Amino acid sequence: MALQTNSRVIRWIDHRLPIFTFMNHELNEYPTPRNLSYMWNFGSLAGIALVIMIVTGILLAMQYTAHVDHAFDSVERIMRDVNYGWLLRYAHMNGASFFFIVVYIHILRGLYYGSYKAPREILWMIGVVILLLMMATAFMGYVLPWGQMSFWGATVITNLFSAIPLVGPDIVVWLWGGFSVDNPTLNRFFALHYLLPFVIVAMVFLHLWALHRFGSNNPLGIDAKGPQDKIPFHPYYTVKDLYGLGVFLILFAAFVFFAPNYMGHPDNYIEADPLVTPAHIVPEWYFLPFYAILRAITFDIGIPFTGIVLIDAKLGGVIAMFGSIAVLFVLPWLDGSPVRSGRFRPLFKQFFALFVVTCLVLGYMGAMPAEQPYVTISQIGTAYYFAYFLVILPLLSVLERPKPLPASISEPVLRGGGTVAGATAKPMEKP
Amino acid sequence: MRAIKHMGRLAACAVTAAALTVAAAPAPASAAEAVSHPDYEFSFDGIFGTFDQAALQRGFQVYEQVCAACHGIRLVAFRNLADLGYDEDEIKAIAARYQVEDGPNDQGEMFMREGIPADRFPSPYRNEQEARMMNGGAYPPDLSLMAKKRKGGADYIKALMVGYTEPPADVELTPGMYWNEYFPGHQIAMPQILYPDSVSYADGTPATIEQMSRDVATFLMWTAEPMLEDRKQMGIKVILFLLVFTGLMYAVKRKVWADLH
Amino acid sequence: MADTANARQGVEDQSKRDFLYLAAGAVGAVGAAAAVWPMIDSLNPSADVLALASIDVDLAPVAVGQAITVTWRGKPVFIRHRTEAEIEAARSVDVDDLVDPQPDEARVIEPQWLVMVGICTHLGCVPLGQRPSDPKGEYGGWFCPCHGSHYDTSGRIRRGPAPRNLDVPTYAFSGESAITIG
C-alpha cells in the first residue's frame, strides 16, 4: 500500500528517500498475527529498556571519570551533587536488571512457542548474539563504579580466560593491559561499555529485519493462512505494547524509587581494594545461573582409569559456561519437531517446565557458597540444562506425538479462544 | 487469554518448585557471615519515610563528639548540613571548626585553613597507613556509606552500637578485640564507645545508649543516602502518574481491540 | 490484511473513543516531557560546582603597575594595580564616545584596583596585557589576539569586534588589601 499523506514535504522527501513508506510499512501496516498473547510484549519492552539504558548511560558518562583514583568518588558525586544524578544512576543500575528480566522472558517465550524454528533460525541466532553482547556490556558496566564487587568480579571473570590451554595467561594479561585489574582495564572497559550498546542497536535492527521477513510467530505456532489471520500492527499492537510499557514502568519505578539497591550488593559501596577479597563474591543476579554452571564442573575430565586429564576442572567450567549459551545457537537444529508451539506438545511441555525450574534453581545455586549440597544440586541442574537441549529435544522430535493443530489462526480466536482442535483441524502428520 | 493462563501455570509451577528448593536448602555453614540483627523502626522506613531532623542533628552531634575521632565522612560536604536544618551561618560556624588542607600557596607549600561550606569533612587520618598505625593495625572505615555498604544498613549500625556484651564463657578473645553480638564473627577491633551520657544533647534528649545509637544510625543513613527524601517523594508522584497512564492505555487497548473480539 | 476502515463504529462511540485517545495521548506527552527534565537538568552545574562560587585573594604582594591573574569558576580574573597615569587615562575618556558607555568609577571599588573577568566578550579568548612583555593594545589596557579587540585601562572595549566591556565580577574588600570574589 502506498503512503497516504497530504503533506507535500513528506511526499517530496519520500520520493527521494522512501523512509516514510518504509516506516509506514514496517510499523503501521505491518501485518501481525491477530492472536499474540501478552508474552509477545517483551520484545518491544526490551527495545525500550535498551533506549532507557543508552539515554541514562550517555548522561552518566558525561559525569563519570574512568580512573581508578576517581571512579568511585565520581559515582558518589553523581549520587550526591549532580542534579537528578541519583535518578539517572539508579535508573541505569536497575535498568540493567529489568533489561535482563525482560530479555529472559522473551527468550523463554521463544523457547516455549518454538520461535527459533524455520524460517526464523537467523532471527533466533541474532537474538543469541544480542544476549551475548548484553552480558558483556553488563559485566563491564558493573566494573565502572570501582567498588569491591566491581573489582573482584572483573578479576574473577577475566581470570576465566586463563583456563585456555597454552595462551590463557597471556590473554589475561592482554585483557588487563597489566598484571592485575587496574587503570588500563577500567579505561578499556569504559570504552567498550560505551561502544557495545550501539553494536546491540545495530543487532536489534538486524533482528527486526529478520523478524519482518516472515512476521511474528504466534501462540499456536502455525502460519497465517490469509488476511483474516492478521491485523495491522498499528493501532492494535502499538496500544497493546504501550499498555505493557505502563505496567513495566510501574514495576521499574517501584524499584528505582523505593528499593534501588535491592538487586545490587552492599559490597559495591566499598571502594575497590586490590588487597582484600570480599568474603562472598557473587555476580549480579542475571549471571547467577551461568555462574552456577561454571562452578558445577568441579572435576577433571579425562580418560577413565588412565589418569590422563584432558580437560581440567577450571577449563571444564569455562567451557560449560560458554557452552550453555553456545548451545542456543544450534538449537534450531536440535529440535526437529515440526510443531512450533509447546501448546500442542504434551511431553515437551513438561520437560520445558522442568527446564524453567532448572534455570531458577541454578540461579539460586549461583548465589550460594561453593559447598555441599549446593555443588551437587548445581551439577544436577547443569546436567539437565544441557540434556534438555542436547538429548531431550532431539529425542522428543522423534518420539513425541503432538496434538492436532487448528486449521488456522482466526478459527479458534474467532470462537472466543475455545477448543483448539475442532473437527476441521488437520492433525499434524508425523515426519 | 489461554496463552497467559498457560504460561501462568508453568510459571506458578516453576516458582513453587524453586520455593521448595529454597526451603530445603540449609543455612550457609559459614557462621561468620550470617549474624542476624533486630529490625528496628526508623522514620525513613517505608515509601513515605522521611528523615527526622531533630534525630539527624542529634546523630550529627554523636558523630562529631564520639565517632569523628577515628572515622571520617569524607563524601559529605559541610554545605550538605542544610538538610539537617542548619542555616548558612550555622554551617559556616561548623565548617570553621575543622581544619582542611589547601594549597599550594605562593611559596609552593600546602597549608591548613578553616573549613568553608564547600569543603567536605576532612578525614581524621591522612591515609590508611596512618590510620592503621594509630589504631593498632585496625582500620576505622570511612562512615559516609556505612549504611549502604553493610547488609542491614541503619539497622546493622544501631545493632552494632548496642551489641557490646561480655564474651561467652567458652570464648577467648584475641587481644585488642571486643565482643559484639551483631558483628560478623563477633570479634571487633572497635571498643564500645557509647555509654550513657557520652554526649550531652543540645535539645535535652536523655542520652541513653539506645537513643544515641538510633540517632547516629539515622545520621549515617543520611550521609549514605542524602537524596532519600527526594527519591521517595518523587517516586510516589511517578507511580501515581504511571497508574493513571497505564489505566488509560488499558482502556484505549480495550477500545481498539473491541471490534476484533 | 484487515483494513482499519473496517473498525468504523457509530458516531457517538467514535467521539467517546476520540476523547479517550486524546486523553491517553496528552497524559503520555506530559509524562514524556516530565521525564526529559531530569535529563536536561543533570547537565546544569551540580551542587559541588555551585558551592565553589567564591575565592579570597590577597592583594598585598601586587605592586603598583603589576597585574595578577587568579582563577575563579574556572575562568581567569585579571587584577591590575593601576598607576595614577592609568587611572587618569581611564577617567579622562568621554563616556559617550564608548562602544559600551560606562564610567571608570562604575567599574571599580577602589580606583587603584581593577578586577575583571579576563575573557574577551567577543568569542571568549583571554586577552593579552597581563605580563609586562604583552602587547597592551592601542589604549594601554588589553589586546585580544584572536580578533583584534582593544581594551583600555578600565577594561572597556575601544576598538575591535567585541560588543561589551570586560565583565566585572561581584567582589568585595574583606580587608585593606584583600578581596573576596563571588
Side-chain angles (χ1 to χ4, degrees), chain C residues 110-131:
Chain C
E110 297 288 342
Q112 67 271 35
W113 294 109
L114 178 64
V115 181
M116 305 178 302
V117 174
I119 289 181
C120 183
T121 55
H122 181 221
L123 289 172
C125 296
V126 178
L128 299 171
Q130 285 294 90
R131 283 178 302 178

mmCIF file with all atom_site columns, all heavy atoms in Angstrom, chain C residues 110-131:
data_model
loop_
_atom_site.group_PDB
_atom_site.id
_atom_site.type_symbol
_atom_site.label_atom_id
_atom_site.label_alt_id
_atom_site.label_comp_id
_atom_site.label_asym_id
_atom_site.label_entity_id
_atom_site.label_seq_id
_atom_site.pdbx_PDB_ins_code
_atom_site.Cartn_x
_atom_site.Cartn_y
_atom_site.Cartn_z
_atom_site.occupancy
_atom_site.B_iso_or_equiv
_atom_site.pdbx_formal_charge
_atom_site.auth_seq_id
_atom_site.auth_comp_id
_atom_site.auth_asym_id
_atom_site.auth_atom_id
_atom_site.pdbx_PDB_model_num
ATOM 1   N N   . GLU C 1 110 ? 37.844 50.350 44.611 1.00 0.00 ? 110 GLU C N   1
ATOM 2   C CA  . GLU C 1 110 ? 38.966 51.231 44.920 1.00 0.00 ? 110 GLU C CA  1
ATOM 3   C C   . GLU C 1 110 ? 39.632 51.556 43.592 1.00 0.00 ? 110 GLU C C   1
ATOM 4   O O   . GLU C 1 110 ? 39.958 50.619 42.841 1.00 0.00 ? 110 GLU C O   1
ATOM 5   C CB  . GLU C 1 110 ? 39.965 50.509 45.846 1.00 0.00 ? 110 GLU C CB  1
ATOM 6   C CG  . GLU C 1 110 ? 39.413 50.129 47.216 1.00 0.00 ? 110 GLU C CG  1
ATOM 7   C CD  . GLU C 1 110 ? 39.221 51.329 48.127 1.00 0.00 ? 110 GLU C CD  1
ATOM 8   O OE1 . GLU C 1 110 ? 39.829 52.392 47.841 1.00 0.00 ? 110 GLU C OE1 1
ATOM 9   O OE2 . GLU C 1 110 ? 38.460 51.220 49.114 1.00 0.00 ? 110 GLU C OE2 1
ATOM 10  N N   . PRO C 1 111 ? 39.863 52.849 43.271 1.00 0.00 ? 111 PRO C N   1
ATOM 11  C CA  . PRO C 1 111 ? 40.349 53.213 41.922 1.00 0.00 ? 111 PRO C CA  1
ATOM 12  C C   . PRO C 1 111 ? 41.624 52.481 41.515 1.00 0.00 ? 111 PRO C C   1
ATOM 13  O O   . PRO C 1 111 ? 41.805 52.156 40.348 1.00 0.00 ? 111 PRO C O   1
ATOM 14  C CB  . PRO C 1 111 ? 40.607 54.720 42.028 1.00 0.00 ? 111 PRO C CB  1
ATOM 15  C CG  . PRO C 1 111 ? 39.824 55.174 43.194 1.00 0.00 ? 111 PRO C CG  1
ATOM 16  C CD  . PRO C 1 111 ? 39.663 54.025 44.125 1.00 0.00 ? 111 PRO C CD  1
ATOM 17  N N   . GLN C 1 112 ? 42.530 52.207 42.489 1.00 0.00 ? 112 GLN C N   1
ATOM 18  C CA  . GLN C 1 112 ? 43.795 51.602 42.072 1.00 0.00 ? 112 GLN C CA  1
ATOM 19  C C   . GLN C 1 112 ? 43.657 50.116 41.738 1.00 0.00 ? 112 GLN C C   1
ATOM 20  O O   . GLN C 1 112 ? 44.538 49.546 41.124 1.00 0.00 ? 112 GLN C O   1
ATOM 21  C CB  . GLN C 1 112 ? 44.895 51.818 43.143 1.00 0.00 ? 112 GLN C CB  1
ATOM 22  C CG  . GLN C 1 112 ? 44.683 51.101 44.455 1.00 0.00 ? 112 GLN C CG  1
ATOM 23  C CD  . GLN C 1 112 ? 43.880 51.943 45.457 1.00 0.00 ? 112 GLN C CD  1
ATOM 24  O OE1 . GLN C 1 112 ? 42.973 52.690 45.078 1.00 0.00 ? 112 GLN C OE1 1
ATOM 25  N NE2 . GLN C 1 112 ? 44.210 51.810 46.725 1.00 0.00 ? 112 GLN C NE2 1
ATOM 26  N N   . TRP C 1 113 ? 42.558 49.477 42.167 1.00 0.00 ? 113 TRP C N   1
ATOM 27  C CA  . TRP C 1 113 ? 42.387 48.050 41.904 1.00 0.00 ? 113 TRP C CA  1
ATOM 28  C C   . TRP C 1 113 ? 41.316 47.825 40.847 1.00 0.00 ? 113 TRP C C   1
ATOM 29  O O   . TRP C 1 113 ? 40.158 48.121 41.068 1.00 0.00 ? 113 TRP C O   1
ATOM 30  C CB  . TRP C 1 113 ? 42.003 47.305 43.183 1.00 0.00 ? 113 TRP C CB  1
ATOM 31  C CG  . TRP C 1 113 ? 43.089 47.287 44.226 1.00 0.00 ? 113 TRP C CG  1
ATOM 32  C CD1 . TRP C 1 113 ? 43.085 47.968 45.402 1.00 0.00 ? 113 TRP C CD1 1
ATOM 33  C CD2 . TRP C 1 113 ? 44.311 46.573 44.166 1.00 0.00 ? 113 TRP C CD2 1
ATOM 34  N NE1 . TRP C 1 113 ? 44.241 47.731 46.099 1.00 0.00 ? 113 TRP C NE1 1
ATOM 35  C CE2 . TRP C 1 113 ? 45.019 46.876 45.356 1.00 0.00 ? 113 TRP C CE2 1
ATOM 36  C CE3 . TRP C 1 113 ? 44.903 45.717 43.228 1.00 0.00 ? 113 TRP C CE3 1
ATOM 37  C CZ2 . TRP C 1 113 ? 46.274 46.338 45.625 1.00 0.00 ? 113 TRP C CZ2 1
ATOM 38  C CZ3 . TRP C 1 113 ? 46.143 45.186 43.503 1.00 0.00 ? 113 TRP C CZ3 1
ATOM 39  C CH2 . TRP C 1 113 ? 46.822 45.497 44.701 1.00 0.00 ? 113 TRP C CH2 1
ATOM 40  N N   . LEU C 1 114 ? 41.754 47.294 39.708 1.00 0.00 ? 114 LEU C N   1
ATOM 41  C CA  . LEU C 1 114 ? 40.805 46.939 38.658 1.00 0.00 ? 114 LEU C CA  1
ATOM 42  C C   . LEU C 1 114 ? 40.676 45.408 38.646 1.00 0.00 ? 114 LEU C C   1
ATOM 43  O O   . LEU C 1 114 ? 41.674 44.691 38.494 1.00 0.00 ? 114 LEU C O   1
ATOM 44  C CB  . LEU C 1 114 ? 41.304 47.440 37.302 1.00 0.00 ? 114 LEU C CB  1
ATOM 45  C CG  . LEU C 1 114 ? 40.422 47.091 36.097 1.00 0.00 ? 114 LEU C CG  1
ATOM 46  C CD1 . LEU C 1 114 ? 39.041 47.755 36.209 1.00 0.00 ? 114 LEU C CD1 1
ATOM 47  C CD2 . LEU C 1 114 ? 41.098 47.545 34.792 1.00 0.00 ? 114 LEU C CD2 1
ATOM 48  N N   . VAL C 1 115 ? 39.464 44.922 38.862 1.00 0.00 ? 115 VAL C N   1
ATOM 49  C CA  . VAL C 1 115 ? 39.212 43.476 38.905 1.00 0.00 ? 115 VAL C CA  1
ATOM 50  C C   . VAL C 1 115 ? 38.217 43.129 37.795 1.00 0.00 ? 115 VAL C C   1
ATOM 51  O O   . VAL C 1 115 ? 37.111 43.678 37.766 1.00 0.00 ? 115 VAL C O   1
ATOM 52  C CB  . VAL C 1 115 ? 38.631 43.065 40.279 1.00 0.00 ? 115 VAL C CB  1
ATOM 53  C CG1 . VAL C 1 115 ? 38.393 41.563 40.320 1.00 0.00 ? 115 VAL C CG1 1
ATOM 54  C CG2 . VAL C 1 115 ? 39.550 43.492 41.406 1.00 0.00 ? 115 VAL C CG2 1
ATOM 55  N N   . MET C 1 116 ? 38.595 42.240 36.900 1.00 0.00 ? 116 MET C N   1
ATOM 56  C CA  . MET C 1 116 ? 37.718 41.907 35.775 1.00 0.00 ? 116 MET C CA  1
ATOM 57  C C   . MET C 1 116 ? 37.863 40.430 35.411 1.00 0.00 ? 116 MET C C   1
ATOM 58  O O   . MET C 1 116 ? 38.910 39.827 35.616 1.00 0.00 ? 116 MET C O   1
ATOM 59  C CB  . MET C 1 116 ? 38.108 42.703 34.523 1.00 0.00 ? 116 MET C CB  1
ATOM 60  C CG  . MET C 1 116 ? 38.150 44.177 34.677 1.00 0.00 ? 116 MET C CG  1
ATOM 61  S SD  . MET C 1 116 ? 38.672 44.901 33.131 1.00 0.00 ? 116 MET C SD  1
ATOM 62  C CE  . MET C 1 116 ? 40.243 44.124 32.894 1.00 0.00 ? 116 MET C CE  1
ATOM 63  N N   . VAL C 1 117 ? 36.821 39.896 34.809 1.00 0.00 ? 117 VAL C N   1
ATOM 64  C CA  . VAL C 1 117 ? 36.917 38.555 34.243 1.00 0.00 ? 117 VAL C CA  1
ATOM 65  C C   . VAL C 1 117 ? 37.705 38.683 32.953 1.00 0.00 ? 117 VAL C C   1
ATOM 66  O O   . VAL C 1 117 ? 37.316 39.431 32.057 1.00 0.00 ? 117 VAL C O   1
ATOM 67  C CB  . VAL C 1 117 ? 35.521 37.964 33.969 1.00 0.00 ? 117 VAL C CB  1
ATOM 68  C CG1 . VAL C 1 117 ? 35.645 36.621 33.248 1.00 0.00 ? 117 VAL C CG1 1
ATOM 69  C CG2 . VAL C 1 117 ? 34.762 37.786 35.269 1.00 0.00 ? 117 VAL C CG2 1
ATOM 70  N N   . GLY C 1 118 ? 38.808 37.979 32.852 1.00 0.00 ? 118 GLY C N   1
ATOM 71  C CA  . GLY C 1 118 ? 39.704 38.147 31.710 1.00 0.00 ? 118 GLY C CA  1
ATOM 72  C C   . GLY C 1 118 ? 39.297 37.351 30.497 1.00 0.00 ? 118 GLY C C   1
ATOM 73  O O   . GLY C 1 118 ? 40.083 36.549 29.977 1.00 0.00 ? 118 GLY C O   1
ATOM 74  N N   . ILE C 1 119 ? 38.072 37.553 30.073 1.00 0.00 ? 119 ILE C N   1
ATOM 75  C CA  . ILE C 1 119 ? 37.595 36.824 28.900 1.00 0.00 ? 119 ILE C CA  1
ATOM 76  C C   . ILE C 1 119 ? 36.991 37.812 27.926 1.00 0.00 ? 119 ILE C C   1
ATOM 77  O O   . ILE C 1 119 ? 36.070 38.568 28.280 1.00 0.00 ? 119 ILE C O   1
ATOM 78  C CB  . ILE C 1 119 ? 36.560 35.753 29.310 1.00 0.00 ? 119 ILE C CB  1
ATOM 79  C CG1 . ILE C 1 119 ? 37.281 34.637 30.054 1.00 0.00 ? 119 ILE C CG1 1
ATOM 80  C CG2 . ILE C 1 119 ? 35.847 35.199 28.102 1.00 0.00 ? 119 ILE C CG2 1
ATOM 81  C CD1 . ILE C 1 119 ? 36.392 33.529 30.493 1.00 0.00 ? 119 ILE C CD1 1
ATOM 82  N N   . CYS C 1 120 ? 37.532 37.844 26.719 1.00 0.00 ? 120 CYS C N   1
ATOM 83  C CA  . CYS C 1 120 ? 37.058 38.764 25.693 1.00 0.00 ? 120 CYS C CA  1
ATOM 84  C C   . CYS C 1 120 ? 35.564 38.537 25.460 1.00 0.00 ? 120 CYS C C   1
ATOM 85  O O   . CYS C 1 120 ? 35.117 37.387 25.330 1.00 0.00 ? 120 CYS C O   1
ATOM 86  C CB  . CYS C 1 120 ? 37.840 38.537 24.404 1.00 0.00 ? 120 CYS C CB  1
ATOM 87  S SG  . CYS C 1 120 ? 37.382 39.673 23.094 1.00 0.00 ? 120 CYS C SG  1
ATOM 88  N N   . THR C 1 121 ? 34.821 39.618 25.437 1.00 0.00 ? 121 THR C N   1
ATOM 89  C CA  . THR C 1 121 ? 33.365 39.495 25.302 1.00 0.00 ? 121 THR C CA  1
ATOM 90  C C   . THR C 1 121 ? 32.956 39.144 23.880 1.00 0.00 ? 121 THR C C   1
ATOM 91  O O   . THR C 1 121 ? 31.778 38.983 23.598 1.00 0.00 ? 121 THR C O   1
ATOM 92  C CB  . THR C 1 121 ? 32.667 40.792 25.728 1.00 0.00 ? 121 THR C CB  1
ATOM 93  O OG1 . THR C 1 121 ? 33.221 41.869 24.973 1.00 0.00 ? 121 THR C OG1 1
ATOM 94  C CG2 . THR C 1 121 ? 32.859 41.047 27.204 1.00 0.00 ? 121 THR C CG2 1
ATOM 95  N N   . HIS C 1 122 ? 33.943 39.048 22.997 1.00 0.00 ? 122 HIS C N   1
ATOM 96  C CA  . HIS C 1 122 ? 33.622 38.667 21.624 1.00 0.00 ? 122 HIS C CA  1
ATOM 97  C C   . HIS C 1 122 ? 33.361 37.164 21.547 1.00 0.00 ? 122 HIS C C   1
ATOM 98  O O   . HIS C 1 122 ? 32.214 36.737 21.510 1.00 0.00 ? 122 HIS C O   1
ATOM 99  C CB  . HIS C 1 122 ? 34.769 39.096 20.686 1.00 0.00 ? 122 HIS C CB  1
ATOM 100 C CG  . HIS C 1 122 ? 34.524 38.763 19.247 1.00 0.00 ? 122 HIS C CG  1
ATOM 101 N ND1 . HIS C 1 122 ? 35.501 38.278 18.415 1.00 0.00 ? 122 HIS C ND1 1
ATOM 102 C CD2 . HIS C 1 122 ? 33.414 38.843 18.500 1.00 0.00 ? 122 HIS C CD2 1
ATOM 103 C CE1 . HIS C 1 122 ? 34.988 38.078 17.210 1.00 0.00 ? 122 HIS C CE1 1
ATOM 104 N NE2 . HIS C 1 122 ? 33.718 38.410 17.238 1.00 0.00 ? 122 HIS C NE2 1
ATOM 105 N N   . LEU C 1 123 ? 34.429 36.355 21.597 1.00 0.00 ? 123 LEU C N   1
ATOM 106 C CA  . LEU C 1 123 ? 34.214 34.910 21.490 1.00 0.00 ? 123 LEU C CA  1
ATOM 107 C C   . LEU C 1 123 ? 34.970 34.123 22.557 1.00 0.00 ? 123 LEU C C   1
ATOM 108 O O   . LEU C 1 123 ? 35.250 32.942 22.383 1.00 0.00 ? 123 LEU C O   1
ATOM 109 C CB  . LEU C 1 123 ? 34.604 34.423 20.089 1.00 0.00 ? 123 LEU C CB  1
ATOM 110 C CG  . LEU C 1 123 ? 33.632 34.857 18.983 1.00 0.00 ? 123 LEU C CG  1
ATOM 111 C CD1 . LEU C 1 123 ? 34.193 34.497 17.615 1.00 0.00 ? 123 LEU C CD1 1
ATOM 112 C CD2 . LEU C 1 123 ? 32.264 34.205 19.151 1.00 0.00 ? 123 LEU C CD2 1
ATOM 113 N N   . GLY C 1 124 ? 35.320 34.815 23.655 1.00 0.00 ? 124 GLY C N   1
ATOM 114 C CA  . GLY C 1 124 ? 35.814 34.059 24.804 1.00 0.00 ? 124 GLY C CA  1
ATOM 115 C C   . GLY C 1 124 ? 37.299 33.773 24.876 1.00 0.00 ? 124 GLY C C   1
ATOM 116 O O   . GLY C 1 124 ? 37.718 32.930 25.660 1.00 0.00 ? 124 GLY C O   1
ATOM 117 N N   . CYS C 1 125 ? 38.137 34.439 24.058 1.00 0.00 ? 125 CYS C N   1
ATOM 118 C CA  . CYS C 1 125 ? 39.581 34.262 24.223 1.00 0.00 ? 125 CYS C CA  1
ATOM 119 C C   . CYS C 1 125 ? 40.042 35.061 25.444 1.00 0.00 ? 125 CYS C C   1
ATOM 120 O O   . CYS C 1 125 ? 39.326 35.915 25.948 1.00 0.00 ? 125 CYS C O   1
ATOM 121 C CB  . CYS C 1 125 ? 40.347 34.760 22.998 1.00 0.00 ? 125 CYS C CB  1
ATOM 122 S SG  . CYS C 1 125 ? 39.993 33.840 21.509 1.00 0.00 ? 125 CYS C SG  1
ATOM 123 N N   . VAL C 1 126 ? 41.273 34.786 25.904 1.00 0.00 ? 126 VAL C N   1
ATOM 124 C CA  . VAL C 1 126 ? 41.840 35.543 27.015 1.00 0.00 ? 126 VAL C CA  1
ATOM 125 C C   . VAL C 1 126 ? 42.729 36.650 26.436 1.00 0.00 ? 126 VAL C C   1
ATOM 126 O O   . VAL C 1 126 ? 43.723 36.356 25.777 1.00 0.00 ? 126 VAL C O   1
ATOM 127 C CB  . VAL C 1 126 ? 42.661 34.618 27.935 1.00 0.00 ? 126 VAL C CB  1
ATOM 128 C CG1 . VAL C 1 126 ? 43.296 35.421 29.064 1.00 0.00 ? 126 VAL C CG1 1
ATOM 129 C CG2 . VAL C 1 126 ? 41.770 33.522 28.500 1.00 0.00 ? 126 VAL C CG2 1
ATOM 130 N N   . PRO C 1 127 ? 42.384 37.905 26.654 1.00 0.00 ? 127 PRO C N   1
ATOM 131 C CA  . PRO C 1 127 ? 43.184 38.997 26.078 1.00 0.00 ? 127 PRO C CA  1
ATOM 132 C C   . PRO C 1 127 ? 44.591 39.044 26.663 1.00 0.00 ? 127 PRO C C   1
ATOM 133 O O   . PRO C 1 127 ? 44.828 38.596 27.787 1.00 0.00 ? 127 PRO C O   1
ATOM 134 C CB  . PRO C 1 127 ? 42.394 40.256 26.460 1.00 0.00 ? 127 PRO C CB  1
ATOM 135 C CG  . PRO C 1 127 ? 41.034 39.785 26.786 1.00 0.00 ? 127 PRO C CG  1
ATOM 136 C CD  . PRO C 1 127 ? 41.200 38.411 27.343 1.00 0.00 ? 127 PRO C CD  1
ATOM 137 N N   . LEU C 1 128 ? 45.536 39.595 25.921 1.00 0.00 ? 128 LEU C N   1
ATOM 138 C CA  . LEU C 1 128 ? 46.901 39.800 26.393 1.00 0.00 ? 128 LEU C CA  1
ATOM 139 C C   . LEU C 1 128 ? 46.994 41.140 27.097 1.00 0.00 ? 128 LEU C C   1
ATOM 140 O O   . LEU C 1 128 ? 46.173 42.035 26.856 1.00 0.00 ? 128 LEU C O   1
ATOM 141 C CB  . LEU C 1 128 ? 47.866 39.763 25.207 1.00 0.00 ? 128 LEU C CB  1
ATOM 142 C CG  . LEU C 1 128 ? 47.905 38.446 24.428 1.00 0.00 ? 128 LEU C CG  1
ATOM 143 C CD1 . LEU C 1 128 ? 48.735 38.623 23.155 1.00 0.00 ? 128 LEU C CD1 1
ATOM 144 C CD2 . LEU C 1 128 ? 48.449 37.324 25.279 1.00 0.00 ? 128 LEU C CD2 1
ATOM 145 N N   . GLY C 1 129 ? 48.025 41.295 27.929 1.00 0.00 ? 129 GLY C N   1
ATOM 146 C CA  . GLY C 1 129 ? 48.211 42.575 28.615 1.00 0.00 ? 129 GLY C CA  1
ATOM 147 C C   . GLY C 1 129 ? 48.490 42.408 30.088 1.00 0.00 ? 129 GLY C C   1
ATOM 148 O O   . GLY C 1 129 ? 48.744 43.376 30.788 1.00 0.00 ? 129 GLY C O   1
ATOM 149 N N   . GLN C 1 130 ? 48.528 41.171 30.576 1.00 0.00 ? 130 GLN C N   1
ATOM 150 C CA  . GLN C 1 130 ? 48.796 40.944 31.989 1.00 0.00 ? 130 GLN C CA  1
ATOM 151 C C   . GLN C 1 130 ? 50.289 41.030 32.284 1.00 0.00 ? 130 GLN C C   1
ATOM 152 O O   . GLN C 1 130 ? 50.690 41.589 33.285 1.00 0.00 ? 130 GLN C O   1
ATOM 153 C CB  . GLN C 1 130 ? 48.255 39.579 32.412 1.00 0.00 ? 130 GLN C CB  1
ATOM 154 C CG  . GLN C 1 130 ? 46.742 39.513 32.556 1.00 0.00 ? 130 GLN C CG  1
ATOM 155 C CD  . GLN C 1 130 ? 46.226 40.370 33.691 1.00 0.00 ? 130 GLN C CD  1
ATOM 156 O OE1 . GLN C 1 130 ? 45.913 41.549 33.485 1.00 0.00 ? 130 GLN C OE1 1
ATOM 157 N NE2 . GLN C 1 130 ? 46.162 39.821 34.887 1.00 0.00 ? 130 GLN C NE2 1
ATOM 158 N N   . ARG C 1 131 ? 51.088 40.429 31.390 1.00 0.00 ? 131 ARG C N   1
ATOM 159 C CA  . ARG C 1 131 ? 52.536 40.444 31.634 1.00 0.00 ? 131 ARG C CA  1
ATOM 160 C C   . ARG C 1 131 ? 53.161 41.696 31.024 1.00 0.00 ? 131 ARG C C   1
ATOM 161 O O   . ARG C 1 131 ? 52.633 42.219 30.020 1.00 0.00 ? 131 ARG C O   1
ATOM 162 C CB  . ARG C 1 131 ? 53.170 39.181 31.043 1.00 0.00 ? 131 ARG C CB  1
ATOM 163 C CG  . ARG C 1 131 ? 52.925 37.958 31.895 1.00 0.00 ? 131 ARG C CG  1
ATOM 164 C CD  . ARG C 1 131 ? 53.523 36.724 31.271 1.00 0.00 ? 131 ARG C CD  1
ATOM 165 N NE  . ARG C 1 131 ? 52.965 36.494 29.927 1.00 0.00 ? 131 ARG C NE  1
ATOM 166 C CZ  . ARG C 1 131 ? 53.328 35.503 29.139 1.00 0.00 ? 131 ARG C CZ  1
ATOM 167 N NH1 . ARG C 1 131 ? 54.265 34.671 29.533 1.00 0.00 ? 131 ARG C NH1 1
ATOM 168 N NH2 . ARG C 1 131 ? 52.774 35.349 27.958 1.00 0.00 ? 131 ARG C NH2 1
#
